[in-house]
Amino acid sequence: MGKPRRAGTASVFRMLPSTDELLQLPETAKFAEEFGHRRLAQLARQSIDAVRQELAEASAASGDVTKDTLRDAVLEQLKRVADVSRSSGIRKVINATGVVVHTNLGRAPLSDDAIAAVTRAAGYCNLEYDISTGGRGKRGANVESVLAELAGAEDAVVVNNCAAAAFLVLSVFAKDGETIVSRGELVEIGGDFRVPDVLTQSGSRLKEVGTTNRTKLSDYAKAVNENTKLVMRVHPSNYRIIGFTEKPSLKELAELAHKNNLLVYEDAGSGAIVDLARFGLGEEPMISRAIVDGADIVTFSGDKLLGSTQAGIAVGRRDLIKRLRTHSLYRTLRADKLVYAALEATAAAYIRETAERDIPVLRMLSSTRDELESRAGSFVARLRDAGSENATIELIDGDSVVGGGSAPGMRLGTVLIAISHASVRAEVIELKLRMSDTPVVARIENDRVVVDLRTVDEGEEDLLLRTIAAAIG
Ligand SMILES: *Cc1c(COP(=O)(O)O)cnc(C)c1O
């Protein structure tokens, strides 16, 4: 290599390594193993282009540039694009936000049993095979009967998500007719699930009754006519109307509907299998309660309060569930074997009555403020030992959130770990946490980074501690 020299932009560009040259360097061998040659060649070209761009913008003629410095610059760039490429896939993150059912972070984390069941089902499994007869078996038969049992219903069917379940119910039972819904329940749940739109897409016509805050039984009664096919109730999961409000009980509504030979369908959304009132979540409808009160079909999500994987579960009368399962749409909405495996293991914990211990969502919801204070207290003591002396680490009172559109306005008291630094802004600490090998997602409140251990598994605490210590060190 010659001495550093001043060069014109054009001749500097000629000193950039070619893709082939780059790929032959020993430094790129490990990337080839990880990404394969074709992808690595793309990343290499991208890196060379980026350095070329930098040179053009910095009018490279002003600096001392050699083939060596350019090669190093390109290799540096390659490391960066490899990092980006690596981090763009699905990765584990630590949820330190205190939002239990965090839709952006994959909603419910699975129980250990559910993870093991998913792993077992990942190979060949008896999804539609009856081991005792050696013949064809019914897809999801066991988990569906367990889910029906938990709901106190005659039967159950599993589809992709609750939106799919609602769509299927409306398509099968309300197409080409009217569905009566209260104006107080025409809700939007997370951007693309809007009750009026799902109704229209299913081929049913919306018959709105009542007002936003008050709908009476007589409003429903007056709306019934020869075109009515279904009475639908929607749990307005993510918002509350408070004050001067009224709506008939499900029991009253079911009596009215059945008197008129109509079906009542309740979209419960989150739904609860066990009574969550003792965690302050009494307003979430219990699935079994809705069945007792007379709903013919109830739908709910697999990955909200149930604490399992993405799925939509419809429970209810056997003849009705059978019509859902045998309709041609079912084939487009049906769930994957991994879903049945996760649901089956989750449902087993409810049957054993160990749900609160085994299912992460319920464990997190049931953590008391005192428990969280004691965990946070020992965590902070360790963090102070490991962290920087310029950091201020304190315990403050705060609130966790149920999330997933459940129980809005519901406050779950917690104790937060608040972190600030004499010379590093909260936004920078938060960014460093997010960009760590295992990204940590935390919140910022009043210029401090706050960490809520409610959504952190105890087994993740050591890693969280090291990551925070590195970010403020
Ligand atoms: C969340 C929710 C849905 C959508 O459920 P997904 O499983 O996300 O499709 C539908 N209805 C209600 C009332 C909900 O709360």
Side-chain angles (χ1 to χ4, degrees), residues 103 107 160-166 187-190 192-193 195 232-238 265-271 284 299-304 309-313 404-406:
T103 298
R107 285 200 182 158
N160 251 315
N161 48 40
C162 190
V187 293
E188 171 180 312
I189 289 152
D192 32 24
F193 183 87
V195 172
M232 180 180 185
R233 275 231 320 192
V234 184
H235 177 58
S237 305
N238 51 10
Y265 159 43
E266 161 129 320
D267 180 15
S270 252
E284 281 304 317
T299 57
F300 57 103
S301 285
D303 54 358
K304 291 184 183 169
T309 196
Q310 182 189 303
I313 299 151
S406 311

mmCIF file of all heavy atoms in Angstrom, residues 103 107 160-166 187-190 192-193 195 232-238 265-271 284 299-304 309-313 404-406, ligand 1:
data_model
loop_
_atom_site.group_PDB
_atom_site.id
_atom_site.type_symbol
_atom_site.label_atom_id
_atom_site.label_comp_id
_atom_site.label_asym_id
_atom_site.label_seq_id
_atom_site.Cartn_x
_atom_site.Cartn_y
_atom_site.Cartn_z
ATOM 1 N N THR A 103 -49.833 -5.657 22.461
ATOM 2 C CA THR A 103 -50.060 -6.131 21.094
ATOM 3 C C THR A 103 -48.805 -6.004 20.230
ATOM 4 O O THR A 103 -48.479 -6.909 19.458
ATOM 5 C CB THR A 103 -51.255 -5.386 20.468
ATOM 6 O OG1 THR A 103 -52.412 -5.699 21.253
ATOM 7 C CG2 THR A 103 -51.517 -5.841 19.049
ATOM 8 N N ARG A 107 -48.525 -9.772 22.251
ATOM 9 C CA ARG A 107 -49.606 -10.071 23.206
ATOM 10 C C ARG A 107 -49.155 -11.042 24.307
ATOM 11 O O ARG A 107 -48.181 -10.784 24.970
ATOM 12 C CB ARG A 107 -50.859 -10.562 22.482
ATOM 13 C CG ARG A 107 -51.597 -9.412 21.786
ATOM 14 C CD ARG A 107 -53.042 -9.794 21.496
ATOM 15 N NE ARG A 107 -53.738 -8.711 20.799
ATOM 16 C CZ ARG A 107 -54.823 -8.903 20.079
ATOM 17 N NH1 ARG A 107 -55.333 -10.111 19.936
ATOM 18 N NH2 ARG A 107 -55.406 -7.881 19.489
ATOM 19 N N ASN A 160 -58.480 -18.552 13.392
ATOM 20 C CA ASN A 160 -57.250 -17.768 13.456
ATOM 21 C C ASN A 160 -57.184 -16.678 14.517
ATOM 22 O O ASN A 160 -56.148 -16.444 15.123
ATOM 23 C CB ASN A 160 -57.031 -17.100 12.106
ATOM 24 C CG ASN A 160 -55.878 -17.726 11.401
ATOM 25 O OD1 ASN A 160 -54.841 -17.951 12.019
ATOM 26 N ND2 ASN A 160 -56.049 -18.020 10.139
ATOM 27 N N ASN A 161 -58.259 -15.946 14.689
ATOM 28 C CA ASN A 161 -58.300 -14.895 15.704
ATOM 29 C C ASN A 161 -59.758 -14.547 15.958
ATOM 30 O O ASN A 161 -60.648 -15.076 15.286
ATOM 31 C CB ASN A 161 -57.484 -13.652 15.300
ATOM 32 C CG ASN A 161 -57.800 -13.209 13.884
ATOM 33 O OD1 ASN A 161 -58.954 -13.242 13.471
ATOM 34 N ND2 ASN A 161 -56.789 -12.816 13.143
ATOM 35 N N CYS A 162 -59.988 -13.664 16.901
ATOM 36 C CA CYS A 162 -61.368 -13.361 17.275
ATOM 37 C C CYS A 162 -62.083 -12.630 16.138
ATOM 38 O O CYS A 162 -63.284 -12.797 15.950
ATOM 39 C CB CYS A 162 -61.388 -12.549 18.562
ATOM 40 S SG CYS A 162 -63.023 -12.347 19.265
ATOM 41 N N ALA A 163 -61.333 -11.818 15.386
ATOM 42 C CA ALA A 163 -61.941 -11.127 14.240
ATOM 43 C C ALA A 163 -62.467 -12.165 13.243
ATOM 44 O O ALA A 163 -63.574 -12.019 12.704
ATOM 45 C CB ALA A 163 -60.916 -10.202 13.583
ATOM 46 N N ALA A 164 -61.692 -13.213 13.004
ATOM 47 C CA ALA A 164 -62.115 -14.275 12.085
ATOM 48 C C ALA A 164 -63.334 -15.004 12.640
ATOM 49 O O ALA A 164 -64.259 -15.354 11.894
ATOM 50 C CB ALA A 164 -60.965 -15.267 11.871
ATOM 51 N N ALA A 165 -63.349 -15.210 13.952
ATOM 52 C CA ALA A 165 -64.485 -15.897 14.574
ATOM 53 C C ALA A 165 -65.756 -15.068 14.394
ATOM 54 O O ALA A 165 -66.812 -15.598 14.032
ATOM 55 C CB ALA A 165 -64.202 -16.147 16.060
ATOM 56 N N ALA A 166 -65.645 -13.743 14.615
ATOM 57 C CA ALA A 166 -66.813 -12.867 14.461
ATOM 58 C C ALA A 166 -67.289 -12.886 13.009
ATOM 59 O O ALA A 166 -68.490 -12.968 12.735
ATOM 60 C CB ALA A 166 -66.451 -11.445 14.896
ATOM 61 N N VAL A 187 -68.046 -0.508 18.028
ATOM 62 C CA VAL A 187 -66.699 -0.081 18.405
ATOM 63 C C VAL A 187 -65.657 -0.450 17.351
ATOM 64 O O VAL A 187 -65.888 -1.297 16.490
ATOM 65 C CB VAL A 187 -66.281 -0.700 19.761
ATOM 66 C CG1 VAL A 187 -67.140 -0.130 20.870
ATOM 67 C CG2 VAL A 187 -66.380 -2.212 19.719
ATOM 68 N N GLU A 188 -64.533 0.227 17.464
ATOM 69 C CA GLU A 188 -63.352 -0.155 16.689
ATOM 70 C C GLU A 188 -62.348 -0.732 17.662
ATOM 71 O O GLU A 188 -62.090 -0.162 18.716
ATOM 72 C CB GLU A 188 -62.741 1.062 15.996
ATOM 73 C CG GLU A 188 -61.390 0.724 15.382
ATOM 74 C CD GLU A 188 -60.729 1.895 14.678
ATOM 75 O OE1 GLU A 188 -61.398 2.560 13.882
ATOM 76 O OE2 GLU A 188 -59.541 2.129 14.951
ATOM 77 N N ILE A 189 -61.804 -1.896 17.300
ATOM 78 C CA ILE A 189 -60.819 -2.523 18.168
ATOM 79 C C ILE A 189 -59.511 -2.642 17.414
ATOM 80 O O ILE A 189 -59.385 -3.446 16.504
ATOM 81 C CB ILE A 189 -61.335 -3.882 18.667
ATOM 82 C CG1 ILE A 189 -62.467 -3.599 19.658
ATOM 83 C CG2 ILE A 189 -60.234 -4.677 19.349
ATOM 84 C CD1 ILE A 189 -63.479 -4.616 19.784
ATOM 85 N N GLY A 190 -58.562 -1.743 17.754
ATOM 86 C CA GLY A 190 -57.232 -1.826 17.167
ATOM 87 C C GLY A 190 -57.200 -1.642 15.660
ATOM 88 O O GLY A 190 -56.744 -2.506 14.936
ATOM 89 N N ASP A 192 -58.192 -2.044 12.591
ATOM 90 C CA ASP A 192 -58.855 -2.614 11.431
ATOM 91 C C ASP A 192 -60.053 -3.483 11.765
ATOM 92 O O ASP A 192 -60.710 -3.983 10.869
ATOM 93 C CB ASP A 192 -57.861 -3.360 10.544
ATOM 94 C CG ASP A 192 -56.763 -3.980 11.366
ATOM 95 O OD1 ASP A 192 -57.020 -4.211 12.566
ATOM 96 O OD2 ASP A 192 -55.675 -4.238 10.838
ATOM 97 N N PHE A 193 -60.355 -3.671 13.036
ATOM 98 C CA PHE A 193 -61.572 -4.417 13.383
ATOM 99 C C PHE A 193 -62.634 -3.417 13.814
ATOM 100 O O PHE A 193 -62.610 -2.912 14.937
ATOM 101 C CB PHE A 193 -61.297 -5.426 14.493
ATOM 102 C CG PHE A 193 -62.511 -6.282 14.832
ATOM 103 C CD1 PHE A 193 -62.760 -7.448 14.119
ATOM 104 C CD2 PHE A 193 -63.400 -5.908 15.826
ATOM 105 C CE1 PHE A 193 -63.886 -8.228 14.417
ATOM 106 C CE2 PHE A 193 -64.518 -6.682 16.124
ATOM 107 C CZ PHE A 193 -64.766 -7.842 15.412
ATOM 108 N N VAL A 195 -66.715 -3.002 14.105
ATOM 109 C CA VAL A 195 -67.912 -3.836 14.104
ATOM 110 C C VAL A 195 -68.791 -3.585 12.869
ATOM 111 O O VAL A 195 -69.170 -4.535 12.179
ATOM 112 C CB VAL A 195 -68.689 -3.685 15.431
ATOM 113 C CG1 VAL A 195 -70.029 -4.392 15.359
ATOM 114 C CG2 VAL A 195 -67.846 -4.244 16.577
ATOM 115 N N MET A 232 -76.672 -9.137 18.152
ATOM 116 C CA MET A 232 -75.243 -9.198 18.495
ATOM 117 C C MET A 232 -74.934 -8.242 19.633
ATOM 118 O O MET A 232 -75.379 -7.093 19.630
ATOM 119 C CB MET A 232 -74.404 -8.812 17.274
ATOM 120 C CG MET A 232 -72.908 -8.838 17.517
ATOM 121 S SD MET A 232 -72.001 -8.368 16.004
ATOM 122 C CE MET A 232 -70.304 -8.640 16.521
ATOM 123 N N ARG A 233 -74.165 -8.748 20.599
ATOM 124 C CA ARG A 233 -73.653 -7.883 21.664
ATOM 125 C C ARG A 233 -72.140 -7.859 21.542
ATOM 126 O O ARG A 233 -71.515 -8.897 21.349
ATOM 127 C CB ARG A 233 -74.007 -8.470 23.035
ATOM 128 C CG ARG A 233 -75.380 -8.102 23.517
ATOM 129 C CD ARG A 233 -75.331 -7.541 24.907
ATOM 130 N NE ARG A 233 -74.389 -8.245 25.773
ATOM 131 C CZ ARG A 233 -74.338 -8.076 27.067
ATOM 132 N NH1 ARG A 233 -75.169 -7.254 27.670
ATOM 133 N NH2 ARG A 233 -73.458 -8.729 27.798
ATOM 134 N N VAL A 234 -71.564 -6.670 21.656
ATOM 135 C CA VAL A 234 -70.108 -6.556 21.570
ATOM 136 C C VAL A 234 -69.601 -5.984 22.880
ATOM 137 O O VAL A 234 -70.101 -4.952 23.335
ATOM 138 C CB VAL A 234 -69.692 -5.607 20.417
ATOM 139 C CG1 VAL A 234 -68.184 -5.586 20.274
ATOM 140 C CG2 VAL A 234 -70.361 -6.023 19.118
ATOM 141 N N HIS A 235 -68.628 -6.643 23.467
ATOM 142 C CA HIS A 235 -68.024 -6.073 24.669
ATOM 143 C C HIS A 235 -67.134 -4.916 24.225
ATOM 144 O O HIS A 235 -66.183 -5.121 23.459
ATOM 145 C CB HIS A 235 -67.183 -7.133 25.391
ATOM 146 C CG HIS A 235 -66.482 -6.582 26.584
ATOM 147 N ND1 HIS A 235 -67.155 -5.982 27.629
ATOM 148 C CD2 HIS A 235 -65.168 -6.514 26.899
ATOM 149 C CE1 HIS A 235 -66.284 -5.577 28.522
ATOM 150 N NE2 HIS A 235 -65.069 -5.894 28.120
ATOM 151 N N PRO A 236 -67.444 -3.693 24.644
ATOM 152 C CA PRO A 236 -66.658 -2.546 24.150
ATOM 153 C C PRO A 236 -65.292 -2.506 24.815
ATOM 154 O O PRO A 236 -64.952 -1.563 25.528
ATOM 155 C CB PRO A 236 -67.521 -1.340 24.532
ATOM 156 C CG PRO A 236 -68.338 -1.790 25.693
ATOM 157 C CD PRO A 236 -68.480 -3.289 25.608
ATOM 158 N N SER A 237 -64.489 -3.538 24.542
ATOM 159 C CA SER A 237 -63.244 -3.804 25.272
ATOM 160 C C SER A 237 -62.435 -2.580 25.659
ATOM 161 O O SER A 237 -62.060 -2.409 26.803
ATOM 162 C CB SER A 237 -62.349 -4.695 24.406
ATOM 163 O OG SER A 237 -63.021 -5.850 24.024
ATOM 164 N N ASN A 238 -62.153 -1.744 24.650
ATOM 165 C CA ASN A 238 -61.103 -0.748 24.884
ATOM 166 C C ASN A 238 -61.605 0.626 25.273
ATOM 167 O O ASN A 238 -60.864 1.583 25.252
ATOM 168 C CB ASN A 238 -60.206 -0.658 23.653
ATOM 169 C CG ASN A 238 -61.021 -0.465 22.385
ATOM 170 O OD1 ASN A 238 -62.218 -0.224 22.458
ATOM 171 N ND2 ASN A 238 -60.391 -0.572 21.240
ATOM 172 N N TYR A 265 -75.658 -13.518 19.851
ATOM 173 C CA TYR A 265 -74.223 -13.746 19.714
ATOM 174 C C TYR A 265 -73.494 -12.686 20.517
ATOM 175 O O TYR A 265 -73.748 -11.499 20.349
ATOM 176 C CB TYR A 265 -73.849 -13.681 18.221
ATOM 177 C CG TYR A 265 -72.394 -13.404 17.954
ATOM 178 C CD1 TYR A 265 -71.398 -14.044 18.682
ATOM 179 C CD2 TYR A 265 -72.005 -12.500 16.965
ATOM 180 C CE1 TYR A 265 -70.057 -13.779 18.438
ATOM 181 C CE2 TYR A 265 -70.673 -12.239 16.714
ATOM 182 C CZ TYR A 265 -69.703 -12.876 17.470
ATOM 183 O OH TYR A 265 -68.380 -12.601 17.232
ATOM 184 N N GLU A 266 -72.593 -13.099 21.391
ATOM 185 C CA GLU A 266 -71.796 -12.142 22.166
ATOM 186 C C GLU A 266 -70.336 -12.207 21.734
ATOM 187 O O GLU A 266 -69.707 -13.266 21.817
ATOM 188 C CB GLU A 266 -71.905 -12.450 23.674
ATOM 189 C CG GLU A 266 -70.780 -11.813 24.490
ATOM 190 C CD GLU A 266 -71.231 -11.015 25.696
ATOM 191 O OE1 GLU A 266 -72.240 -10.301 25.591
ATOM 192 O OE2 GLU A 266 -70.549 -11.105 26.726
ATOM 193 N N ASP A 267 -69.806 -11.067 21.257
ATOM 194 C CA ASP A 267 -68.367 -10.976 20.992
ATOM 195 C C ASP A 267 -67.723 -10.441 22.259
ATOM 196 O O ASP A 267 -67.788 -9.251 22.538
ATOM 197 C CB ASP A 267 -68.101 -10.055 19.791
ATOM 198 C CG ASP A 267 -66.610 -9.942 19.512
ATOM 199 O OD1 ASP A 267 -65.848 -10.770 20.042
ATOM 200 O OD2 ASP A 267 -66.205 -9.018 18.769
ATOM 201 N N ALA A 268 -67.115 -11.338 23.019
ATOM 202 C CA ALA A 268 -66.578 -10.959 24.334
ATOM 203 C C ALA A 268 -65.177 -10.362 24.233
ATOM 204 O O ALA A 268 -64.689 -9.752 25.176
ATOM 205 C CB ALA A 268 -66.561 -12.170 25.252
ATOM 206 N N GLY A 269 -64.497 -10.552 23.090
ATOM 207 C CA GLY A 269 -63.154 -9.978 22.930
ATOM 208 C C GLY A 269 -62.155 -10.717 23.785
ATOM 209 O O GLY A 269 -61.756 -11.835 23.479
ATOM 210 N N SER A 270 -61.755 -10.084 24.887
ATOM 211 C CA SER A 270 -60.781 -10.712 25.778
ATOM 212 C C SER A 270 -61.361 -11.941 26.444
ATOM 213 O O SER A 270 -60.841 -13.036 26.355
ATOM 214 C CB SER A 270 -60.385 -9.736 26.870
ATOM 215 O OG SER A 270 -59.091 -9.296 26.660
ATOM 216 N N GLY A 271 -62.459 -11.685 27.117
ATOM 217 C CA GLY A 271 -63.102 -12.779 27.826
ATOM 218 C C GLY A 271 -62.230 -13.304 28.946
ATOM 219 O O GLY A 271 -61.011 -13.157 28.920
ATOM 220 N N GLU A 284 -64.501 -7.501 32.957
ATOM 221 C CA GLU A 284 -64.302 -8.387 31.808
ATOM 222 C C GLU A 284 -65.329 -9.507 31.862
ATOM 223 O O GLU A 284 -65.439 -10.194 32.872
ATOM 224 C CB GLU A 284 -62.877 -8.965 31.827
ATOM 225 C CG GLU A 284 -61.837 -7.994 31.307
ATOM 226 C CD GLU A 284 -62.153 -7.485 29.902
ATOM 227 O OE1 GLU A 284 -62.553 -8.278 29.030
ATOM 228 O OE2 GLU A 284 -62.003 -6.270 29.682
ATOM 229 N N THR A 299 -67.725 -15.440 21.293
ATOM 230 C CA THR A 299 -66.376 -15.526 20.715
ATOM 231 C C THR A 299 -65.391 -14.752 21.584
ATOM 232 O O THR A 299 -65.748 -13.758 22.205
ATOM 233 C CB THR A 299 -66.329 -14.955 19.279
ATOM 234 O OG1 THR A 299 -66.784 -13.598 19.305
ATOM 235 C CG2 THR A 299 -67.180 -15.759 18.322
ATOM 236 N N PHE A 300 -64.150 -15.211 21.612
ATOM 237 C CA PHE A 300 -63.097 -14.503 22.343
ATOM 238 C C PHE A 300 -61.724 -14.846 21.769
ATOM 239 O O PHE A 300 -61.581 -15.791 20.996
ATOM 240 C CB PHE A 300 -63.174 -14.794 23.856
ATOM 241 C CG PHE A 300 -63.084 -16.243 24.242
ATOM 242 C CD1 PHE A 300 -61.906 -16.766 24.766
ATOM 243 C CD2 PHE A 300 -64.176 -17.093 24.084
ATOM 244 C CE1 PHE A 300 -61.814 -18.103 25.138
ATOM 245 C CE2 PHE A 300 -64.098 -18.440 24.448
ATOM 246 C CZ PHE A 300 -62.917 -18.937 24.980
ATOM 247 N N SER A 301 -60.724 -14.052 22.173
ATOM 248 C CA SER A 301 -59.357 -14.186 21.640
ATOM 249 C C SER A 301 -58.548 -15.207 22.424
ATOM 250 O O SER A 301 -58.716 -15.338 23.636
ATOM 251 C CB SER A 301 -58.611 -12.854 21.733
ATOM 252 O OG SER A 301 -59.044 -11.960 20.765
ATOM 253 N N GLY A 302 -57.608 -15.844 21.745
ATOM 254 C CA GLY A 302 -56.708 -16.770 22.427
ATOM 255 C C GLY A 302 -55.556 -16.073 23.121
ATOM 256 O O GLY A 302 -54.985 -16.594 24.081
ATOM 257 N N ASP A 303 -55.189 -14.881 22.630
ATOM 258 C CA ASP A 303 -53.947 -14.266 23.134
ATOM 259 C C ASP A 303 -54.173 -13.005 23.962
ATOM 260 O O ASP A 303 -53.284 -12.189 24.120
ATOM 261 C CB ASP A 303 -52.974 -13.989 21.978
ATOM 262 C CG ASP A 303 -53.594 -13.159 20.873
ATOM 263 O OD1 ASP A 303 -54.796 -12.824 20.972
ATOM 264 O OD2 ASP A 303 -52.887 -12.853 19.896
ATOM 265 N N LYS A 304 -55.381 -12.855 24.474
ATOM 266 C CA LYS A 304 -55.594 -11.754 25.425
ATOM 267 C C LYS A 304 -55.603 -12.351 26.834
ATOM 268 O O LYS A 304 -54.630 -12.981 27.226
ATOM 269 C CB LYS A 304 -56.884 -11.024 25.073
ATOM 270 C CG LYS A 304 -56.777 -10.240 23.746
ATOM 271 C CD LYS A 304 -58.044 -9.462 23.482
ATOM 272 C CE LYS A 304 -57.985 -8.749 22.143
ATOM 273 N NZ LYS A 304 -59.328 -8.220 21.777
ATOM 274 N N THR A 309 -51.968 -18.327 22.616
ATOM 275 C CA THR A 309 -51.471 -17.816 21.348
ATOM 276 C C THR A 309 -52.602 -17.198 20.531
ATOM 277 O O THR A 309 -53.776 -17.309 20.895
ATOM 278 C CB THR A 309 -50.799 -18.963 20.565
ATOM 279 O OG1 THR A 309 -50.006 -18.421 19.530
ATOM 280 C CG2 THR A 309 -51.827 -19.912 19.986
ATOM 281 N N GLN A 310 -52.257 -16.559 19.420
ATOM 282 C CA GLN A 310 -53.294 -15.924 18.601
ATOM 283 C C GLN A 310 -54.293 -16.966 18.107
ATOM 284 O O GLN A 310 -53.927 -17.942 17.456
ATOM 285 C CB GLN A 310 -52.675 -15.228 17.391
ATOM 286 C CG GLN A 310 -53.736 -14.517 16.544
ATOM 287 C CD GLN A 310 -53.187 -13.997 15.237
ATOM 288 O OE1 GLN A 310 -52.243 -13.229 15.226
ATOM 289 N NE2 GLN A 310 -53.779 -14.418 14.136
ATOM 290 N N ALA A 311 -55.539 -16.752 18.437
ATOM 291 C CA ALA A 311 -56.607 -17.657 18.011
ATOM 292 C C ALA A 311 -57.928 -16.972 18.294
ATOM 293 O O ALA A 311 -57.999 -16.032 19.081
ATOM 294 C CB ALA A 311 -56.544 -18.981 18.781
ATOM 295 N N GLY A 312 -58.955 -17.436 17.617
ATOM 296 C CA GLY A 312 -60.305 -16.980 17.931
ATOM 297 C C GLY A 312 -61.102 -18.210 18.316
ATOM 298 O O GLY A 312 -61.019 -19.247 17.656
ATOM 299 N N ILE A 313 -61.827 -18.119 19.399
ATOM 300 C CA ILE A 313 -62.548 -19.286 19.897
ATOM 301 C C ILE A 313 -64.033 -18.958 19.929
ATOM 302 O O ILE A 313 -64.429 -17.930 20.483
ATOM 303 C CB ILE A 313 -62.037 -19.658 21.308
ATOM 304 C CG1 ILE A 313 -60.537 -19.993 21.231
ATOM 305 C CG2 ILE A 313 -62.817 -20.846 21.877
ATOM 306 C CD1 ILE A 313 -59.777 -19.707 22.484
ATOM 307 N N GLY A 404 -53.994 -4.833 25.407
ATOM 308 C CA GLY A 404 -54.756 -5.672 24.496
ATOM 309 C C GLY A 404 -56.206 -5.250 24.391
ATOM 310 O O GLY A 404 -57.081 -6.052 24.085
ATOM 311 N N GLY A 405 -56.472 -3.972 24.681
ATOM 312 C CA GLY A 405 -57.845 -3.497 24.597
ATOM 313 C C GLY A 405 -58.720 -4.015 25.724
ATOM 314 O O GLY A 405 -59.933 -3.991 25.623
ATOM 315 N N SER A 406 -58.113 -4.498 26.795
ATOM 316 C CA SER A 406 -58.921 -4.975 27.922
ATOM 317 C C SER A 406 -58.865 -3.975 29.065
ATOM 318 O O SER A 406 -57.821 -3.378 29.315
ATOM 319 C CB SER A 406 -58.396 -6.317 28.439
ATOM 320 O OG SER A 406 -58.201 -7.199 27.383
HETATM 321 C C1 LIG B 1 -59.750 -7.881 20.585
HETATM 322 C C2 LIG B 1 -61.145 -7.992 20.139
HETATM 323 C C3 LIG B 1 -61.437 -8.503 18.870
HETATM 324 C C4 LIG B 1 -60.360 -8.931 17.920
HETATM 325 O O1 LIG B 1 -59.693 -10.036 18.418
HETATM 326 P P1 LIG B 1 -58.385 -10.610 17.644
HETATM 327 O O2 LIG B 1 -58.149 -11.906 18.323
HETATM 328 O O3 LIG B 1 -57.322 -9.594 17.835
HETATM 329 O O4 LIG B 1 -58.775 -10.746 16.215
HETATM 330 C C5 LIG B 1 -62.759 -8.593 18.504
HETATM 331 N N1 LIG B 1 -63.744 -8.190 19.327
HETATM 332 C C6 LIG B 1 -63.501 -7.692 20.558
HETATM 333 C C7 LIG B 1 -64.641 -7.264 21.424
HETATM 334 C C8 LIG B 1 -62.180 -7.579 21.006
HETATM 335 O O5 LIG B 1 -61.915 -7.095 22.219
#
